């Protein structure tokens, strides 16, 4: 991610670690509500196993970064956009789809009976394996392609609640 002037961070022990403090790190800390640790040493971010590493970038660079990820696949990790200015990398064996499959297996739930909702690339596996994959109207194009249905409203317009009301609740609750 060096060519893109990316700002790395990880979560650990109820804190978010950054290599340096800047507008990106302050924005991320405010959003996460976690304690901020500034390390100044990229190597210290890799001392312990971690579920993911995140990189904040300028939004205008996102198409280039997504293209770079697409052209540089790895057998060890996957990278995906989760916000307009955030790319995350995690172990290929870890995904929301994997978590959903494990949860359903532990609780004897058939995946065909599951409705999953998402709006960005890290939701794609989950939407594909569920019985009903629903993408919010403002979702990314790849997530819309992975879904069975796209809602009429965005996340900010309570798209999940609107969809649930129209397609589930109204069918089972009579006034």
């Amino acid at each position: 991610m060096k060519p893109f002037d990316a700002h790395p961070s990880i979560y650990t022990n109820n804190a978010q670690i950054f290599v340096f403090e800047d507008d990106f790190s302050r924005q991320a800390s405010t959003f996460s509500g976690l304690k901020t640790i500034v390390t100044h040493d990229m190597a210290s971010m890799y001392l312990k196993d971690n579920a993911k590493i995140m990189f904040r970038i300028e939004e205008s660079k996102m198409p280039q970064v997504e293209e770079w990820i697409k052209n540089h696949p790895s057998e060890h990790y996957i990278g995906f956009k989760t916000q307009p200015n955030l790319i995350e990398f995690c172990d290929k064996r870890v995904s929301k789809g994997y978590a959903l499959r494990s949860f359903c297996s532990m609780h004897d739930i058939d995946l065909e009976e599951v409705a999953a909702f998402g709006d960005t690339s890290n939701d794609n596996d989950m939407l594909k394996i569920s019985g009903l994959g629903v993408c919010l109207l403002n979702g990314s194009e790849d997530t819309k392609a992975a879904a069975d249905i796209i809602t009429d409203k965005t996340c900010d317009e309570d798209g999940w609640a609107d969809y649930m009301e129209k397609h589930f609740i109204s069918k089972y609750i009579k006034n």
Side-chain angles (χ1 to χ4, degrees), residues 54-115:
M54 301 162 288
F55 292 90
R56 292 243 177 234
I57 61 167
E58 290 181 30
E59 198 170 329
S60 63
K61 294 181 181 179
M62 186 59 75
Q64 291 173 283
V65 172
E66 288 182 297
E67 186 67 22
W68 185 91
I69 291 169
K70 180 180 165 186
N71 293 328
H72 296 85
S74 170
E75 63 185 63
H76 304 289
Y77 62 83
I78 56 173
F80 43 81
K81 178 174 87 172
T82 56
Q83 294 177 17
N85 66 346
L86 186 66
I87 288 286
E88 298 183 13
F89 291 90
C90 68
D91 188 305
K92 251 189 174 169
R93 299 168 294 177
V94 179
S95 72
K96 290 182 181 182
Y98 177 83
L100 179 60
R101 184 177 280 115
S102 296
F103 179 86
C104 288
S105 177
M106 287 187 302
H107 297 282
D108 198 28
I109 299 170
D110 186 339
L111 282 166
E112 284 299 313
E113 296 176 18
V114 174

Side-chain angles (χ1 to χ4, degrees), residues 66 81 118-124 135-146 150:
E66 288 182 297
K81 178 174 87 172
D119 66 347
T120 194
S121 302
N122 65 330
D123 299 317
N124 293 357
C135 181
L136 283 293
L137 183 61
N138 62 310
S140 61
E141 292 305 314
D142 61 316
T143 304
K144 288 177 180 176
I150 300 168

Side-chain angles (χ1 to χ4, degrees), residues 21-41:
E21 186 175 7
D22 62 0
D23 288 341
F24 283 121
S25 61
R26 285 186 286 278
Q27 174 191 13
S29 291
T30 300
F31 182 77
S32 72
L34 297 173
K35 176 183 169 186
T36 298
I37 299 171
V38 179
T39 178
H40 301 292
D41 176 20

